[in-house]
């Protein structure tokens, strides 16, 4: 495998189990994302885009196959080791918000940095940098529970970027955004914020797919 | 980092008020009975039952808190926290909560006891002095809190074993 590869998915099989039945999502998926590349994943609802993001983030395990993140095979590592790799290298924007509602925006942004063991001052510096880039300064001290859905999305995006990760995994990142904010976010993909970063994004939107260096199409597995 | 997490949750989680009140009630009851112990074998049996009841009641109350953590647990894991960090943070949080409840409970207990003799003719009956009763109540509550925090942390530890995606799939 070339050292130029940021993400490499090899012959991955994923089946969900539930109530004695099994639901296959994919039998054999393979692809690669080069460092600095922007790969968009498109496909119909239920085809497994979110599942794929979870697998690459190490939040779930495949039944077969290998997934390499920055050259490391995360399917073979203990979970805590994958967690440590994730906090250093990966930023994830989830399709369904998973900020902590009882904490403020500021505290939510701080959280990944706490896990990285950063001091309070370092954390403040990082958070302030990110606030400017993501147009969220106005509500930084509000509880996340009080945010609008679009605001929530922008904070999720900022949280994914807070530790300056090399690789970003974005699951429908522009859902819930108005066209103007969507444009701003999409522009940031090409602008200086994401310069040099590797992007793997799922999307239903043409605007984003057009921006990608490459697009792959996941087919829906028929039962 | 576990301490930071524990303190943040300590300031913000609502369930805690309920929990603290629960612990407070247990400790008050504990203390009242202890301070009214009457001489003889009955006293030993009563004290032993109180000890057991305290531990069971406090543990059950505290486990209730550890039961409602799935969502936060998933977020911490998704952001790269290790199982140790997460478990330790819940242990600290439970312990702090328990301690606060117990101290408040003892405070209320002592206040009641100062007022009560005026109303009831129990004075002079008790086997223990006020200070002794206080000491025993504190000891019993601490044992209960330790057990509760340990059991709670164990339940979090077990839960955190599941993959993050699976934890999120099962959050109500
Ligand atoms: N925990 C689970 N247990 C059982 N089946 C699941 C589970 N999670 C997802 N699935 C199923 O796996 C398939 C893929 O789900 P996934 O969420 O990856 O789809 P998706 O491509 O992200 O869809 P969308 O575009 O709607 O977000 C779906 O049919 C879904 O019902
Ligand atoms: Mg999805």
């Amino acid at each position: 495998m070339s050292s130029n590869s940021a993400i490499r998915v090899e012959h991955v099989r994923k089946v969900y189990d539930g109530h004695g039945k099994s639901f296959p999502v994919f039998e054999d998926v393979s692809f690669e994302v080069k460092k600095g590349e922007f790969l968009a994943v498109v496909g119909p609802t239920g085809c497994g885009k979110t599942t794929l993001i979870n697998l690459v983030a190490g939040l779930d395990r495949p039944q077969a196959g290998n997934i390499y993140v920055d050259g490391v095979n995360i399917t073979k590592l203990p979970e805590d080791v994958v967690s440590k790799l994730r906090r250093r290298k990966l930023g994830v924007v989830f399709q369904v918000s998973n900020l902590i509602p009882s904490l403020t925006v500021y505290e939510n942004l701080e959280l990944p940095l706490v896990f990285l063991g950063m001091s309070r001052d370092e954390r403040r510096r990082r958070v302030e940098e990110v606030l400017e880039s993501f147009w969220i300064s106005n509500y930084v001290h509000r509880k996340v529970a009080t945010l609008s859905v679009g605001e929530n999305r922008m904070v999720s995006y900022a949280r994914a970027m807070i530790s300056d990760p090399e690789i970003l995994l974005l699951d429908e990142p522009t859902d819930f955004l108005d066209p103007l904010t969507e444009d701003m976010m999409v522009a940031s993909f090409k602008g200086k914020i994401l310069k040099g970063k590797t992007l793997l994004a799922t999307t239903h939107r043409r605007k984003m797919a057009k921006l990608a260096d490459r697009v792959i199409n996941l087919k829906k597995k028929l039962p | 980092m576990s301490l930071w997490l524990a303190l943040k949750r300590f300031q913000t989680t609502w369930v805690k008020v309920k929990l603290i009140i629960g612990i407070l009630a247990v400790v008050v009851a504990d203390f009242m009975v202890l301070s009214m112990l009457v001489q003889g074998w009955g006293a030993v049996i009563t004290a032993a039952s109180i000890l057991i009841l305290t531990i069971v009641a406090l543990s059950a109350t505290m486990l209730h808190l550890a039961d409602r953590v799935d969502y936060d647990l998933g977020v911490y894991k998704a952001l790269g926290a290790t199982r140790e960090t997460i478990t330790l943070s819940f242990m600290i949080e439970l312990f702090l909560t328990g301690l606060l409840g117990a101290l408040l409970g003892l405070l209320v207990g002592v206040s009641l006891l100062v007022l009560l003799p005026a109303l009831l003719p129990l004075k002079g009956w008790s086997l223990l002095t006020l200070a002794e009763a206080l000491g025993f109540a504190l000891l019993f509550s601490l044992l209960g809190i330790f057990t509760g925090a340990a059991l709670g942390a164990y339940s979090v530890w077990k839960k955190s074993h599941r993959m993050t995606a699976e934890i999120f799939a099962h959050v109500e």
Side-chain angles (χ1 to χ4, degrees), chain B:
Chain B
M1 48 187 106
S2 297
L3 187 63
W4 186 92
L5 268 186
L7 291 177
K8 280 291 171 208
R9 277 201 313 269
F10 193 69
Q11 292 162 14
T12 49
T13 316
W14 233 103
V15 203
K16 212 136 313 156
V17 178
K18 240 171 42 184
L19 184 61
I20 289 176
I21 293 172
I23 295 172
L24 186 147
V26 172
V27 175
V28 171
D30 211 29
F31 178 59
M32 297 313 272
V33 179
L34 276 173
S35 55
M36 288 168 196
L37 277 186
V38 187
Q39 212 111 30
W41 276 105
V44 178
I45 294 165
T46 316
S49 335
I50 297 170
L51 174 61
I52 291 165
L53 282 177
T54 312
I55 291 180
V56 171
L58 290 185
S59 302
T61 325
M62 288 166 81
L63 267 174
H64 176 66
L65 182 76
D67 250 3
R68 323 191 22 160
V69 301
D70 292 33
Y71 179 79
D72 289 21
L73 188 73
V75 177
Y76 300 155
K77 285 187 66 160
L79 297 178
T82 59
R83 286 177 78 197
E84 282 94 40
T85 304
I86 296 170
T87 309
L88 193 60
S89 86
F90 279 104
M91 185 139 59
I92 296 172
E93 184 195 12
L94 284 172
F95 186 70
L96 284 178
T97 311
L99 206 60
L100 188 62
L103 290 180
L104 286 175
L106 289 180
L107 207 68
V108 173
V110 173
S111 325
L112 279 179
L113 213 71
V114 172
L115 297 176
L116 216 56
L119 309 172
L120 295 169
L122 286 171
K123 210 162 182 214
W125 275 29
S126 181
L127 177 66
L128 302 171
T129 66
L130 189 68
E132 282 166 348
L134 201 62
F136 274 113
L138 188 64
L139 178 72
F140 287 10
S141 335
L142 278 179
L143 284 174
I145 291 163
F146 270 122
T147 318
L151 286 176
Y154 177 68
S155 121
V156 170
W157 172 256
K158 263 194 355 211
K159 276 184 194 179
S160 69
H161 190 61
R162 287 184 296 166
M163 290 304 284
T164 313
E166 200 188 325
I167 294 177
F168 280 129
H170 290 100
V171 169
E172 309 88 56

Side-chain angles (χ1 to χ4, degrees), chain A residues 54 58-61 79-80 83-84 86-87 92 94 97-103 107-108 110-112 114-117 120 123 143 159, chain B residues 1-2 4-5 8-9 11-13 71-72 74-86 157 160-166 168:
Chain A
N54 283 340
L59 303 173
D60 204 352
R61 286 190 199 278
E79 212 198 342
D80 274 351
S83 286
K84 285 178 185 162
R86 179 163 55 243
R87 71 187 179 208
V92 188
F94 295 85
S97 160
N98 69 358
L99 302 171
I100 294 184
S102 56
L103 295 182
E107 289 162 341
N108 268 281
E110 248 187 321
L111 204 52
V114 169
F115 296 137
L116 278 167
R120 205 193 176 89
R123 296 202 300 261
K143 287 244 153 62
R159 188 184 65 179
Chain B
M1 48 187 106
S2 297
W4 186 92
L5 268 186
K8 280 291 171 208
R9 277 201 313 269
Q11 292 162 14
T12 49
T13 316
Y71 179 79
D72 289 21
V75 177
Y76 300 155
K77 285 187 66 160
L79 297 178
T82 59
R83 286 177 78 197
E84 282 94 40
T85 304
I86 296 170
W157 172 256
S160 69
H161 190 61
R162 287 184 296 166
M163 290 304 284
T164 313
E166 200 188 325
F168 280 129

Side-chain angles (χ1 to χ4, degrees), chain A residues 142-173:
Chain A
R142 294 240 308 270
K143 287 244 153 62
V144 160
T146 70
L147 299 184
S148 80
V149 180
E151 287 167 343
N152 194 299
R153 180 48 52 105
M154 290 314 287
V155 176
S156 305
Y157 189 26
R159 188 184 65 179
M161 291 292 291
I162 196 86
S163 52
D164 197 18
E166 292 160 32
I167 302 171
L168 270 176
L169 307 176
L170 311 170
D171 200 358
E172 300 292 347

Side-chain angles (χ1 to χ4, degrees), chain A residues 46 48-51 95 171-172 202 204:
Chain A
K49 301 183 294 299
T50 299
T51 305
Q95 184 170 14
D171 200 358
E172 300 292 347
T202 73
H204 297 295

